[in-house]
Amino acid sequence: MKYNNFHPRLKRIIEQIEKIQVTNHDLDKIDELGLKALELIETILDETPNDIQTRMLRIRLNDNWIFSNQNQVIVDANFILQFERDNQARMFAYDRLVSIYKTRTDAPEELIAILEDQLLDIQNAYPHRYQKNKAESESLYLLGEAYEAMGQAELALSIYQKSYNKYPYLQVRNAVVGIKMLDAQDYEGAEKMLWNHYLWQFDAEDEEDILKYAAALLQHYKNNNLQSHPNLIALLLHIARNKQKEFVMDAEDANYFEYCLAHALVEYPNNSRILVVKANHLLMDLDQADLALEYYKQALLGDNPNFQDYIQHIKTCCIYTQTDFFDLPFNFAYKPQNINVHFTIAEELYSMWQATNIIEYIDLGIKYIQSSYKHFKKYIFHEKGSTYCNQTHFYEMTCKIFGQLLVVKSDDQDAQTAKFTLRNASILFWEGYQVNQYFENLNLAIHTAFDAKEYMLCIEYAQQFTADMGYICSDVELQRNHWFIGYSHCMLKDVKSARRNFEQAKSAYIKNKNASDDSLKILAETGFIYFTLSMETGCNPPFAVLEMDWMDQNVLIAQSMPHVYGGIQHYIGVCYEKMDNMKQAMQYYNNAKVYLEESDLPLYKQLFSLTQEKLQGN
């Protein structure tokens, strides 16, 4: 939490508390400091009761951070809701009130009133649909719990369904409510929630929930309630096969799973989920890759081929049976609930390419990822489409893997097509960064735009890097970023901007007392690029000499980057020659010859030849 706008003394106290908590030193002083903070807050609020930030800080202090004073939290939160219009402050207050009242089982009416007010305010609290929908979903789930606590189970179930429709990925809801829907024989609702929970299982708590609804499903299956719901039968069979040690369908009949699976295949021969259970069983339990492959093929041709990523199993079968992987009937049909699976399949295919260098994996990956990307973007940026697309993290990763697939594809294209492909890849990395600010995507955007010779894009991305990451990145990363900017400006023949970039890079290096030798090497390259453009575009010789003086006098550059240092010596010699000072010019040309003669790089070899001509001509 930032405290820049707080009373200076209050700011110091809170920073002391946080430092103690981080270091675990002087823990006995926390209560004393907390009391001092509360006393000072009381004084501040007596004078300025509408100081909302300070009031929010008091809530934080009393809400189980340092102290537990629920009554004071309620007073302050209600004050914010009564007098403050800032949406984020209001959401903060609502959340604090909800956290208190949901533990008070004797007051569901108060919790319901708070949640209903919050649901109205959520509409103005968030700028994007995906943010609103997720927040609404969480509040609706709590609202459903409150109504259920009041005995209104039917109303609660309808609210839970609304919660799911707003945001399907609330794991804590999906298992619990899915079981309740089974009990209410709402099998369609149960199917959505339980399959979603199963595919997104994460931790030991999820494992426990899976075993609970597996037992419930088994009972409904034995009661013949699932005959019209083959996907629930499929879920039961998946759990029975994948959790064989923890879940047994019939302790008295070891063949009961086999019997149920065989019966399901007869009754629902086109159900991809059931076909995959059979294929997995054959491959992983019975080592029958040839038969397993036949069932995987049928699953690809079935009603929902992309419900789950099993492409690695298919690849394994192909290896064992010597089948051409690319002759299989891959299906790219898109269903909203499978959007993340398209990403994971594409990611698997990219990994297969990395292991083999077979370009067909890239082509296949692009086919899978295209629909996933299209629908993610439609929802995240244009606020249209299914709430199954409400996964900003997966959208960011989709942009990344799509971009990486295109970068590889560009190596297989002619120059003009490759430039267009690389440009699109850089835009994908940039889109991913805009949604989730991961440095890797921004770095990929910079490099790919540069490789595409899209220098304006490269500059835009690199400047964003400086703005967002400049204060936390390493000195080498910062200098490398300036190099991209400088090179791009030079390719655009923008001398003024290239000069400004070099001065910024030099200033950053000088200010950093711990700057590394590697960062100096990159800075030297940035400077040389700029001075090369400056010389080409007709520099002012006296001014250019002054500009190059810092590099001229830098012994470390001479030692670590002799070819760059030699190039600078040559340029200074040219400047002195233009000023008719041949004595100085010859001195710098002689220096240039010494430093340039060992370089094999084309530009420096050219400068070495020019230097020799100058010396021979005089």
Side-chain angles (χ1 to χ4, degrees), residues 1-8 11 15 53:
M1 187 171 181
K2 295 181 180 179
Y3 307 106
N4 296 337
N5 297 325
F6 287 110
H7 184 286
K11 179 178 178 229
E15 287 175 344
Q53 292 300 313

Side-chain angles (χ1 to χ4, degrees), residues 311-351:
I311 202 161
Q312 189 62 56
H313 298 332
I314 294 176
K315 177 64 176 173
T316 299
C317 290
C318 288
I319 292 171
Y320 279 120
T321 60
Q322 296 185 327
T323 301
D324 189 338
F325 178 79
F326 301 105
D327 281 345
L328 296 178
F330 292 108
N331 191 320
F332 313 106
Y334 167 79
K335 290 188 176 184
Q337 63 268 35
N338 301 338
I339 187 166
N340 297 322
V341 179
H342 284 251
F343 157 76
T344 57
I345 293 173
E347 190 176 43
E348 289 274 10
L349 291 164
Y350 181 71
S351 296

Side-chain angles (χ1 to χ4, degrees), residues 158-294:
S158 69
I159 294 173
Y160 290 143
Q161 186 61 61
K162 289 179 182 177
S163 170
Y164 184 89
N165 293 340
K166 288 290 182 180
Y167 182 72
Y169 303 106
L170 196 60
Q171 282 291 82
V172 67
R173 173 203 60 215
N174 288 346
V176 174
V177 176
I179 293 172
K180 290 175 181 177
M181 288 184 165
L182 278 179
D183 293 340
Q185 296 191 351
D186 179 0
Y187 294 115
E188 289 185 9
E191 178 187 321
K192 291 178 184 178
M193 292 203 185
L194 295 180
W195 258 110
N196 203 321
H197 180 273
Y198 181 73
L199 293 173
W200 285 82
Q201 59 185 286
F202 176 71
D203 55 21
E205 188 175 345
D206 286 340
E207 291 280 340
E208 292 176 9
D209 287 334
I210 288 170
L211 295 178
K212 288 177 184 176
Y213 58 72
L217 282 168
L218 180 59
Q219 192 58 52
H220 283 270
Y221 177 76
K222 288 184 173 181
N223 291 339
N224 294 320
N225 293 333
L226 303 183
Q227 292 176 339
S228 300
H229 306 282
N231 286 334
L232 285 175
I233 296 174
L235 178 57
L236 174 62
L237 294 171
H238 270 273
I239 297 171
R241 201 216 71 79
N242 294 336
K243 314 282 183 187
Q244 296 175 41
K245 294 180 180 179
E246 301 89 353
F247 177 70
V248 178
M249 291 183 72
D250 192 325
E252 297 179 359
D253 184 355
N255 297 318
Y256 190 62
F257 165 74
E258 295 271 8
Y259 165 78
C260 295
L261 177 56
H263 183 264
L265 287 167
V266 171
E267 291 293 318
Y268 317 105
N270 194 44
N271 188 289
S272 294
R273 302 183 197 213
I274 295 173
L275 288 162
V276 167
V277 177
K278 179 66 174 180
N280 289 347
H281 180 51
L282 288 166
L283 176 64
M284 290 178 275
D285 301 334
L286 305 177
D287 292 325
Q288 297 180 18
D290 51 345
L291 285 176
L293 183 57
E294 294 307 311

Side-chain angles (χ1 to χ4, degrees), residues 53-235:
Q53 292 300 313
T54 299
R55 196 172 290 275
M56 288 169 67
L57 179 57
R58 183 161 70 180
I59 291 176
R60 187 177 174 221
L61 284 164
N62 284 318
D63 191 24
N64 299 311
W65 181 36
I66 308 299
F67 308 109
S68 180
N69 186 343
Q70 289 190 349
N71 290 334
Q72 185 61 60
V73 170
I74 291 170
V75 169
D76 286 328
N78 281 324
F79 182 95
I80 291 172
L81 293 176
Q82 184 176 357
F83 296 106
E84 178 59 32
R85 300 318 307 162
D86 177 74
N87 291 317
Q88 293 309 307
R90 293 179 67 80
M91 289 300 111
F92 175 85
Y94 280 124
D95 289 343
R96 301 286 71 74
L97 290 174
V98 168
S99 70
I100 291 172
Y101 280 103
K102 74 179 182 180
T103 64
R104 297 185 176 182
T105 55
D106 60 329
E109 296 89 348
E110 287 90 337
L111 178 57
I112 288 170
I114 293 165
L115 287 166
E116 288 179 341
D117 286 344
Q118 184 179 28
L119 283 164
L120 292 174
D121 269 10
I122 281 172
Q123 303 308 312
N124 298 317
Y126 300 98
H128 302 293
R129 179 190 173 194
Y130 64 86
Q131 295 169 318
K132 291 178 186 177
N133 281 350
K134 186 176 181 182
E136 280 187 89
S137 177
E138 292 166 349
S139 295
L140 283 166
Y141 172 55
L142 295 174
L143 185 63
E145 284 191 320
Y147 275 113
E148 188 172 4
M150 293 179 65
Q152 300 189 44
E154 189 174 339
L155 175 59
L157 283 177
S158 69
I159 294 173
Y160 290 143
Q161 186 61 61
K162 289 179 182 177
S163 170
Y164 184 89
N165 293 340
K166 288 290 182 180
Y167 182 72
Y169 303 106
L170 196 60
Q171 282 291 82
V172 67
R173 173 203 60 215
N174 288 346
V176 174
V177 176
I179 293 172
K180 290 175 181 177
M181 288 184 165
L182 278 179
D183 293 340
Q185 296 191 351
D186 179 0
Y187 294 115
E188 289 185 9
E191 178 187 321
K192 291 178 184 178
M193 292 203 185
L194 295 180
W195 258 110
N196 203 321
H197 180 273
Y198 181 73
L199 293 173
W200 285 82
Q201 59 185 286
F202 176 71
D203 55 21
E205 188 175 345
D206 286 340
E207 291 280 340
E208 292 176 9
D209 287 334
I210 288 170
L211 295 178
K212 288 177 184 176
Y213 58 72
L217 282 168
L218 180 59
Q219 192 58 52
H220 283 270
Y221 177 76
K222 288 184 173 181
N223 291 339
N224 294 320
N225 293 333
L226 303 183
Q227 292 176 339
S228 300
H229 306 282
N231 286 334
L232 285 175
I233 296 174
L235 178 57

Side-chain angles (χ1 to χ4, degrees), residues 604-617:
Y604 298 102
K605 288 177 70 174
Q606 182 183 358
L607 290 177
F608 178 69
S609 298
L610 291 173
T611 299
Q612 283 186 309
E613 291 176 12
K614 296 288 187 182
L615 292 171
Q616 291 169 0

